[in-house]
Structure formats: C-alpha cells, structure tokens
Amino acid sequence: AQSVAQPEDQVNVAEGNPLTVKCTYSVSGNPYLFWYVQYPNRGLQFLLKYITGDNLVKGSYGFEAEFNKSQTSFHLKKPSALVSDSALYFCAVRPNFGNEKLTFGTGTRLTIIP
Amino acid sequence: GAGVSQTPSNKVTEKGKYVELRCDPISGHTALYWYRQSLGQGPEFLIYFQGTGAADDSGLPNDRFFAVRPEGSVSTLKIQRTERGDSAVYLCASSPGVPGELFFGEGSRLTVL
C-alpha cells in the first residue's frame, strides 16, 4: 500500500521568509512524487513532480522540492514567501510502474503573514 | 482552452436517493480519475479510466458506487441509495498521460440530508 504523511496541518510564515512544507511517503519500489496546490474556490493545480534524476526539482511560482530517498521525504520549499502563496498544499505519491493511482496526503494549510 | 468541467457544482439530496455526477475532461485526455474529498482530508482515490475501461476501481467504497465512460470522454459517477456519509466534494481529473500530472475540475459538492 502507498501512503503520504503531511505532519503539519498548518504552517505560518512571514512574508519574505523561506518556507518549508513537509511530506514523507511510503510506496513499494521507487516513487513518483508530486505537489499540488488548492487555492480557495479553485480546483487542485499541479505544482511540481519528481520522477527521476536530480533530487531537487523546480516547479511553478518559484517553488521547489527536494527528494530524499533515505528519509523517504519530499519537502516543498520556497526561498522567499509571498502573501499570494497562502493556500492548501497536498503531497502525493504513486509507484514508478504499474499502479497509476495517485495517493494524496491530508494537506497543509500555508498562511503567509504580511 | 476549456478545463475539466464538472456538473452539478452543488447537489443536495435526501438519504436513499440516486445521484449522478458528470465530468467533462479536457479534450484529448485519455486518462480520467474520480476522487472524493471530505472536509479536512486529502483527495481519496475512487476510480481511474484509461479510455473507456476502468483500469482501477479499487477505491470505490461499495457497490452503491459505479462510474462509466462509454465513449472515452465524458464520465458519470453514479451513487445509489445515498447515505449521509456520502456527503463530500467529488473531484474529477483528466490527464494526457504524463505520469501524475492531473488536471482537476472544481468538484461537485454532494450533500445528503
């Protein structure tokens, strides 16, 4: 079975500060890892993914994430937070073969304080 | 271009009634997914179509839930004998086949009284 844990329900960061949203995963074999963002009254939007290669992946809106195989983690990061980054963030995982099912975490609400 | 369209956006029904939720994917997307999201939870997988066939329906909670995609485009999620526990936002997503890159609709909020 595959699963994702997002240990923080809520993260508050001051505008201009770096931000980190944590994610750990469990999957059989090698993972494909994803971050999605959900703005109020909007559908989930794809942000970035790790498939293979460089452990640091870059995505939309200046976000990046670091894959750490030994710690089974895929934390989302941004060097300087904007108020407009305030949203609900979901980490997701699937195995790299066979199963197309994407399993999501419970989400982390990120609030950037002006 | 048009995104994934879901109708109705809101549905209120009574316990025991039958409900259909419709999803119009992005044109040309071969894969289609249904998820369910309850308050404070992440999206929970229900079923995945590749073309017309259900490639994985392991997430359907019981036989009251059924989904079809007869022509490989529009999909309908059908719920029989609705229960209060079925209340949630039902999300549809489509994909052009790039692993994990799903395009989500805004969801259909189902409330069972």
Side-chain angles (χ1 to χ4, degrees):
Chain A
Q2 56 206 55
S3 65
V4 171
Q6 293 182 244
E8 302 154 318
D9 291 337
Q10 172 86 37
V11 171
N12 297 327
V13 176
E15 185 178 21
N17 281 4
L19 69 87
T20 299
V21 182
K22 295 179 181 176
C23 170
T24 58
Y25 68 89
S26 173
V27 71
S28 297
N30 292 318
Y32 286 170
L33 292 155
F34 308 86
W35 278 99
Y36 279 78
V37 59
Q38 190 170 37
Y39 297 104
N41 301 315
R42 301 281 299 276
L44 278 161
Q45 296 178 32
F46 169 80
L47 202 53
L48 53 78
K49 68 180 178 184
Y50 170 82
I51 300 295
T52 187
D54 195 347
N55 289 344
L56 184 66
V57 293
K58 295 185 185 296
S60 308
Y61 312 119
F63 282 93
E64 56 190 29
E66 186 164 15
F67 170 58
N68 187 317
K69 188 170 184 177
S70 63
Q71 297 186 4
T72 61
S73 68
F74 189 57
H75 301 331
L76 181 69
K77 302 182 181 188
K78 187 173 182 180
S80 178
L82 300 173
V83 172
S84 58
D85 294 330
S86 298
L88 195 51
Y89 291 82
F90 291 94
C91 182
V93 69
R94 54 155 282 196
N96 69 340
F97 69 95
N99 190 347
E100 301 277 345
K101 179 173 73 177
L102 205 57
T103 298
F104 287 83
T106 52
T108 298
R109 183 164 300 282
L110 176 66
T111 301
I112 308 303
I113 303 163
Chain B
V4 176
S5 175
Q6 291 189 246
T7 53
S9 56
N10 240 301
K11 176 71 176 178
V12 180
T13 191
E14 293 178 343
K15 181 175 178 296
K17 299 290 189 183
Y18 170 80
V19 165
E20 287 190 353
L21 306 176
R22 176 188 167 105
C23 173
D24 251 297
I26 293 172
S27 178
H29 282 195
T30 55
L32 186 145
Y33 300 75
W34 283 100
Y35 281 81
R36 176 168 72 173
Q37 188 174 19
S38 301
L39 197 62
Q41 300 296 316
E44 173 194 15
F45 172 80
L46 295 177
I47 187 169
Y48 153 63
F49 288 89
Q50 185 61 252
T52 60
D56 184 345
D57 64 358
S58 62
L60 294 177
N62 51 58
D63 62 5
R64 295 187 298 106
F65 289 75
F66 190 71
V68 295
R69 195 185 185 201
E71 298 177 357
S73 178
V74 170
S75 176
T76 305
L77 178 66
K78 307 181 181 195
I79 310 173
Q80 298 178 322
R81 303 183 304 280
T82 51
E83 299 178 357
R84 292 194 181 89
D86 299 335
S87 297
V89 177
Y90 289 81
L91 301 172
C92 177
S94 67
S95 172
V98 179
E101 288 193 39
L102 275 54
F103 294 77
F104 281 86
E106 295 189 9
S108 292
R109 181 177 298 277
L110 175 66
T111 303
V112 182
L113 301 177

